[in-house]
Amino acid sequence: MSVLPILIHPDPRLKKRADEIDEITPDLRELADDMLATMYEAPGIGLAAPQVGVMKRILVMDCVKDDEAPPRPMVLLNPVVTETSEDMNTYEEGCLSIPEQYADVERPSEVTVTWTDLDGKEQTEHFTGLWATCVQHEIDHLDGKLFIDYLKPLKRQLITRKMQKLKRERARA
Ligand code: NI
């Protein structure tokens, strides 16, 4: 298992729609393992493949917050939101591709998602709370959408400029 470098916004790969997965290969399993290792190492609660430069519809997440509770690493292939609640919820979101920037984003508070697991089986689950926010945020990544795209243009530009500066600093280091 290896920890992969995470792309930082702005990057054209973070703005593109990722491709459907049509075959579960050993390489894909390895990618899933690496993405989980990368997410836990960051640390984060979700990671989508475009964030590590792979344009495939795969995401990983684990929103278990209680340190005493066992982890619940999840791998979702080709996830699709099939139902959304009318109730909305606002969470202060962040993103591993936009480090140290947080903002309130409103999304449906509950969603039903269907996906394929690593055994090729179709799974469906109803997500609530942080899990619901996280899965929507990660599916957005697969469609080339970032949480800052929900913010007012001025705020989004401010964050983008900060990230450009961070990238310049990192390139120099
Ligand atoms: Ni993100």
Side-chain angles (χ1 to χ4, degrees):
M1 246 189 291
S2 40
V3 171
L4 306 168
I6 298 174
L7 300 181
I8 303 298
H9 165 74
D11 186 296
R13 288 165 287 184
L14 295 172
K15 302 300 292 175
K16 270 171 66 179
R17 189 176 192 276
D19 298 324
E20 298 285 328
I21 293 165
D22 46 26
E23 200 185 357
I24 298 162
T25 61
D27 279 358
L28 187 74
R29 288 171 191 282
E30 196 181 323
L31 173 66
D33 282 345
D34 290 348
M35 284 174 63
L36 280 167
T38 304
M39 178 190 80
Y40 285 124
E41 158 85 15
I45 58 170
L47 185 72
Q51 293 182 275
V52 292
V54 178
M55 301 313 295
K56 290 191 179 145
R57 302 188 77 79
I58 171 172
L59 66 86
V60 299
M61 60 176 183
D62 182 349
C63 300
V64 173
K65 276 218 146 168
D66 184 353
D67 286 342
E68 310 284 300
R72 191 190 176 205
M74 297 189 75
V75 177
L76 283 65
L77 313 180
N78 301 331
V80 175
V81 175
T82 55
E83 264 180 81
T84 55
S85 64
E86 273 178 40
D87 268 16
M88 303 293 278
N89 208 349
T90 301
Y91 260 105
E92 189 178 54
E93 295 190 21
C95 180
L96 294 177
S97 293
I98 310 172
E100 285 167 47
Q101 303 297 320
Y102 304 91
D104 281 350
V105 176
E106 190 185 49
R107 300 180 188 269
S109 58
E110 300 185 14
V111 288
T112 303
V113 179
T114 297
W115 71 94
T116 304
D117 69 17
L118 280 175
D119 296 319
K121 287 199 198 109
E122 192 177 284
Q123 302 284 348
T124 297
E125 190 166 325
H126 183 75
F127 292 102
T128 62
L130 183 57
W131 288 91
T133 292
C134 184
V135 77
Q136 292 175 80
H137 174 123
E138 300 310 329
I139 291 173
D140 272 354
H141 273 301
L142 303 180
D143 293 326
K145 192 164 185 182
L146 302 171
F147 83 89
I148 55 170
D149 293 329
Y150 293 92
L151 309 179
K152 295 209 172 77
L154 215 60
K155 172 100 181 173
R156 183 165 63 241
Q157 283 158 18
L158 185 73
I159 291 177
T160 298
R161 257 182 252 125
K162 278 185 189 165
M163 291 301 104
Q164 284 165 333
K165 184 160 173 265
L166 176 73
K167 287 175 83 168
R168 280 198 301 272
E169 282 165 4
R170 286 192 181 181
R172 248 185 267 126

